[in-house]
Amino acid sequence: VGEGYDLVVIGGGTAGIITATTAAGLGARVVLVEADRTGGDCLWTGCVPSKALLAAAAAAHRTRSGGPGVSPAEPKIEFAAVLDHVRAVIARIEPEDSPDALRAAGVEFIHGHARFTGPRAIQVNGDHVRFRHAVVATGSTPALPPVPGLADIGPLTSDTVWNVTALPARLAVLGGGPSGCELGQAFARLGADIVIVEATDRLLPREEPQASAILATRLAAEGIQVRTGTTVTHATGEPGDTTLTATGPDGPLSLAVDAVLVATGRQARTTDLGLDQAGVRLDDRGYVMVDRRLRTSNPHIYAAGDVTGGPAFTHVAAVHGSIAASNAVLAPLRGIDHDRMPWVTFTDPEIAHVGLTEQRARDRYGDGVQVRSLAHRRLDRAIIEGDTAGFTQVVLDPKGRVLGATIVAPRAAEMITELAVLVARRDRLRGLASVVHPYPSWSQAVWTTAITDSAAALARPPARWGVQLLRRFRRATDRG
Ligand SMILES: Cc1cc2nc3c(=O)[nH]c(=O)nc-3n(C[C@H](O)[C@H](O)[C@H](O)COP(=O)(O)OP(=O)(O)OC[C@H]3O[C@@H](n4cnc5c(N)ncnc54)[C@H](O)[C@@H]3O)c2cc1C
């Protein structure tokens, strides 16, 4: 094909689309190659369908819960209509990610499977395409844990669960990470009997332990069996009638279910990609190795999104895409800092996080790390809503700059952003004290932590001496 491109992008998910459109915007000649459907996991099997499912589940939960002076009622759920909603949401968003949208942005599009044939060329649909630079943005796929018998019982994954036509009456969710918790809560609220099996001792092992505990209590209150510290050792039966054998804290157990949803982890999508021909090395987990600038072991090839093994989120894939594009097309100047990324688990309550957890901050900065927090039982908005289980916690370095934060609240995803600004800019929390937050909002929790930090700073020298001096001066001058 022709004389070659400034940039070849392999994969049309979020990372690939943002890479290609950014590079085209910078004036580069760009082609994007997608083997399946543009839009990637986020649109077809990830964020979009899962959040659409959660929206339906939340409606069911509201009806079931009632409210102050409003009697609860058992919702009438039509699962087929729920799936129609999921498909309609995808269809509404899909044009944004379509080949037409790419072409409109100045990106050439090839439908086909790309494979490297050397350090500066790929092959697609039998054609050879040469490039100055390439970006590998091929994403990740669900990984099945090596449990004997599991592959034979036709387990569902985040790829296939969207094809079910009826709600399984009894569903085991393997993995208590973000996807397992979100989908588990959603299917439970829609009427399934759910057991979540997690091998570590808590749900969401990457989050603050208090956040995991609140979620476990909430899921249990909604009738979900949460089995942490439990490992499935084998599976028998067939799709529709399966028995899982597991070992848990109280010994062996067996779980009879109609379906199994595996959400235990992901693996890089690198099969038949010819990375070795291109001199692109993988790490020991099979992800494409990149440096801070997202450059692979081949200086002409970058990688972006899930395939790099970085935090597997759409907004991370998008920022990778932007960085990879400008580094490849202009100059390799921009770097990524995963320690400043926000992310959210969209359970109810939402669990939003940015930057470092308290433990990781202490490991890095030692005892000078400070924590400012507010339990939401002291937050007026939470009391008004009758939803006081959550908290807002901000982790500061010894100078009061924000290293990380966790919020557990129904609207935590919207609340975390102002703390993400402080983390991104390495700003102090107390600077936020002078920014007035409306009453009675959820975001007043964040403001309260800033005011607490500001008050604590005033109570310490040298600010304390200044305050004392001013007060004495005022008394002395007022006397006359
Ligand atoms: C259930 C679930 C819920 C999620 N919810 C959220 C959420 O709420 N928020 C969030 O931020 N993230 C969420 N994620 C994660 C998010 O979906 C991913 O991080 C994101 O989609 C990664 O984008 P990507 O571009 O790296 O890869 P992908 O979206 O996987 O795109 C890669 C593309 O490359 C194509 N491809 C692969 N190999 C080739 C080849 N050789 N030639 C041509 N094309 C190829 C594939 O067909 C695919 O379209 C969720 C994930 C799951 C599974």
Side-chain angles (χ1 to χ4, degrees):
V1 174
E3 69 281 21
Y5 289 88
D6 294 321
L7 191 68
V8 163
V9 181
I10 304 176
T14 306
I17 289 173
I18 300 294
T19 305
T21 52
T22 306
L26 294 171
R29 185 168 179 230
V30 188
V31 63
L32 182 145
V33 187
E34 167 58 51
D36 188 6
R37 304 176 286 193
T38 53
D41 282 3
C42 179
L43 176 64
W44 298 105
T45 58
C47 336
V48 173
S50 62
K51 266 84 261 183
L53 190 76
L54 279 161
H61 182 71
R62 277 194 298 276
T63 305
R64 200 175 281 126
S65 309
V70 177
S71 24
E74 195 46 36
K76 185 170 173 298
I77 298 162
E78 282 180 52
F79 191 63
V82 171
L83 294 178
D84 284 347
H85 164 71
V86 171
R87 282 188 284 269
V89 171
I90 293 174
R92 177 83 189 272
I93 296 175
E94 185 273 330
E96 307 264 331
D97 291 350
S98 65
D100 282 348
L102 285 167
R103 288 187 199 102
V107 176
E108 289 181 47
F109 176 72
I110 298 175
H111 188 244
H113 180 97
R115 165 165 221 301
F116 289 98
T117 51
R120 303 287 290 272
I122 61 161
Q123 189 175 40
V124 53
N125 302 334
D127 293 326
H128 286 275
V129 180
R130 289 194 55 76
F131 57 79
R132 285 179 204 282
H133 287 99
V135 175
V136 179
T138 51
S140 63
T141 51
L144 281 197
V147 173
L150 186 61
D152 305 327
I153 56 105
L156 300 166
T157 66
S158 63
D159 280 354
T160 55
V161 69
W162 312 108
N163 304 332
V164 298
T165 48
L167 182 71
R170 300 168 306 167
L171 177 69
V173 178
L174 305 195
S179 295
C181 290
E182 287 182 2
L183 294 174
Q185 189 177 38
F187 284 120
R189 287 178 164 194
L190 293 170
D193 219 336
I194 301 284
V195 51
I196 298 180
V197 185
E198 163 59 40
T200 71
D201 62 354
R202 60 190 175 96
L203 299 176
L204 304 182
R206 275 191 287 261
E207 302 296 341
E208 297 288 1
Q210 318 88 287
S212 304
I214 292 171
L215 183 63
T217 306
R218 179 68 65 92
L219 295 184
E222 291 185 16
I224 295 175
Q225 260 191 74
V226 177
R227 293 201 173 269
T228 50
T230 304
T231 311
V232 174
T233 50
H234 65 269
T236 51
E238 54 195 67
D241 180 15
T242 296
T243 302
L244 297 177
T245 310
T247 31
D250 305 320
L253 63 133
S254 96
L255 302 164
V257 292
D258 303 310
V260 177
L261 172 62
V262 176
T264 45
R266 318 264 314 163
Q267 65 195 26
R269 208 184 269 121
T270 53
T271 347
D272 196 22
L273 196 51
L275 289 174
D276 44 349
Q277 312 251 18
V280 172
R281 276 209 295 275
L282 302 179
D283 67 16
D284 49 12
R285 299 175 307 152
Y287 288 94
V288 173
M289 255 164 66
V290 288
D291 63 13
R292 276 191 72 242
R293 299 192 169 126
L294 302 176
R295 224 170 2 191
T296 69
S297 48
N298 175 337
H300 297 284
I301 301 179
Y302 290 76
D306 279 12
V307 78
T308 64
F313 298 101
T314 294
H315 46 279
V316 176
V319 79
H320 276 187
S322 160
I323 290 173
S326 66
N327 282 354
V329 170
L330 301 179
L333 298 174
R334 291 173 63 200
I336 182 83
D337 182 356
H338 290 138
D339 286 343
R340 301 192 203 183
M341 293 297 137
W343 63 75
V344 178
T345 302
F346 288 90
T347 43
D348 178 14
E350 292 174 353
I351 298 181
H353 176 83
V354 61
L356 305 184
T357 57
E358 181 180 348
Q359 190 55 53
R360 283 194 60 208
R362 287 197 192 286
D363 292 345
R364 198 170 300 176
Y365 293 88
D367 290 342
V369 165
Q370 305 166 66
V371 174
R372 302 282 175 232
S373 58
L374 182 80
H376 290 176
R377 60 175 180 277
R378 292 173 48 214
L379 178 68
D380 290 4
R381 168 51 64 179
I383 295 167
I384 291 164
E385 300 284 341
D387 201 336
T388 52
F391 66 90
T392 295
Q393 173 185 283
V394 189
V395 179
L396 309 177
D397 77 2
K399 292 189 171 145
R401 295 177 300 203
V402 183
L403 293 171
T406 295
I407 303 177
V408 178
R411 306 296 298 276
E414 319 303 328
M415 297 164 71
I416 200 73
T417 315
E418 62 178 322
L419 290 164
V421 173
L422 300 186
V423 172
R425 295 188 178 166
R426 294 211 188 286
D427 273 349
R428 288 173 163 184
L429 176 61
R430 72 189 70 131
L432 209 59
S434 61
V435 180
V436 181
H437 287 54
Y439 179 87
S441 58
W442 285 102
S443 66
Q444 281 227 321
V446 177
W447 197 25
T448 304
T449 63
I451 291 168
T452 309
D453 190 51
S454 182
L458 276 180
R460 277 196 307 266
R464 193 178 70 198
W465 298 329
V467 169
Q468 281 171 354
L469 207 66
L470 278 175
R471 210 174 48 218
R472 284 198 198 121
F473 180 72
R474 188 60 172 224
R475 275 194 197 135
T477 51
D478 276 355
R479 238 177 255 142

